[in-house]
Amino acid sequence: MPPPSTEAVPEDLSEESEPDWELVLSQIPGEVQRAFANLPIEGGAVAFDEELLGFGYINQHTNVFAEVETQTFSESLLGINVEIRAVPVEYQFDYGDGTSRTSSDPGGPSAPVRARGADASSWEVETATSHIYQETGVFPVNVTTTFIGEYRLPGEAWTPISGSVEIPATPGEADIWRLSHRHVSGACREPSHWGCSGPVELGPGDRPPKIFAEDYDSSGRYIGSHSP
């Protein structure tokens, strides 16, 4: 019997066709823009000076700032590994008392370190993002950060991405109290005497500020300073 016949494979089907790189590259900006809008960008957190933990007095500056960073992601788009970074550029502070501020500065810890036993007037430090509260109370503080994007193809420079995204930070609380001064005849002898019931005087329904939480029992009674 004659051998079975074989058909030649056309040359253009024997190898995979090369992609049209010019077309792919022209589509990358749109793909990057869509990817940027859906990245899991972290909004950071609202922060206060570490030694105060949000505690402050009315009519004095309470330092509030945003802890947020530039973030870089790696994405595969149209078969190309693309680096995308989200850069924080603007911060909307909502201080919880009906006032707000938009700043290009996220703020940061104030320079002085305030000892708990120091005079209260030494605690007040004005910063780029601090706020003066006019009333006492516990105020929810929120920050929304605006991020712009940039992307980079392998071996190339960073290129801006159109548009921006707004990401909220983990909120914080400002605990604002009122200062009260009186002249007394001497050191504390009885816990019931004025000024002997702790660094802050708790009224019905009050809770001790975080900075003094260890100085009170679960019932709100002053049990003494536990600071070193």
Side-chain angles (χ1 to χ4, degrees), residues 2-48:
S5 60
T6 58
E7 296 182 359
V9 177
E11 186 176 347
D12 60 344
L13 297 179
S14 60
E15 298 180 358
E16 293 185 2
S17 300
E18 289 292 326
D20 186 341
W21 287 112
E22 289 188 3
L23 177 60
V24 171
L25 292 175
S26 70
Q27 295 173 338
I28 282 291
E31 293 295 318
V32 167
Q33 188 173 1
R34 282 186 285 273
F36 176 64
N38 293 286
L39 289 175
I41 301 170
E42 294 289 336
V46 174
F48 304 89

Side-chain angles (χ1 to χ4, degrees), residues 58-193:
I58 61 171
N59 301 320
Q60 290 192 1
H61 284 277
T62 298
N63 189 31
V64 181
F65 56 95
E67 288 185 331
V68 62
E69 298 178 343
T70 296
Q71 298 156 62
T72 303
F73 304 85
S74 181
E75 299 286 316
S76 179
L77 303 175
L78 302 178
I80 301 175
N81 290 325
V82 181
E83 279 187 286
I84 302 176
R85 66 183 179 190
V87 182
V89 293
E90 190 173 82
Y91 311 87
Q92 175 74 30
F93 287 83
D94 182 343
Y95 295 106
D97 62 347
T99 61
S100 61
R101 168 187 290 169
T102 299
S103 173
S104 59
D105 187 341
S110 56
V113 176
R114 281 70 58 96
R116 286 181 25 147
D119 183 83
S121 62
S122 69
W123 293 14
E124 183 185 21
V125 178
E126 182 177 4
T127 69
T129 54
S130 62
H131 180 61
I132 296 177
Y133 288 90
Q134 305 293 331
E135 300 290 339
T136 60
V138 178
F139 299 92
V141 182
N142 292 277
V143 175
T144 299
T145 301
T146 300
F147 291 84
I148 61 171
E150 299 174 322
Y151 75 95
R152 180 169 65 182
L153 300 177
E156 300 293 333
W158 289 101
T159 302
I161 301 173
S162 298
S164 61
V165 294
E166 295 183 347
I167 307 294
T170 301
E173 285 184 343
D175 200 349
I176 308 302
W177 291 71
R178 177 178 286 105
L179 280 168
S180 181
H181 298 277
R182 297 183 193 176
H183 293 291
V184 296
S185 60
C188 289
R189 292 188 295 272
E190 295 291 337
S192 59
H193 291 174

Side-chain angles (χ1 to χ4, degrees), residues 51-53 55 116 175 177 198-200 202 206-227:
E51 66 270 24
L52 295 180
L53 302 177
F55 178 76
R116 286 181 25 147
D175 200 349
W177 291 71
V200 293
L202 300 181
D206 284 343
R207 70 179 193 192
K210 293 178 183 178
I211 185 178
F212 300 122
E214 293 183 355
D215 299 347
Y216 296 82
D217 65 15
S218 58
S219 300
R221 291 189 294 268
Y222 181 64
I223 56 177
S225 175
H226 288 68
S227 62

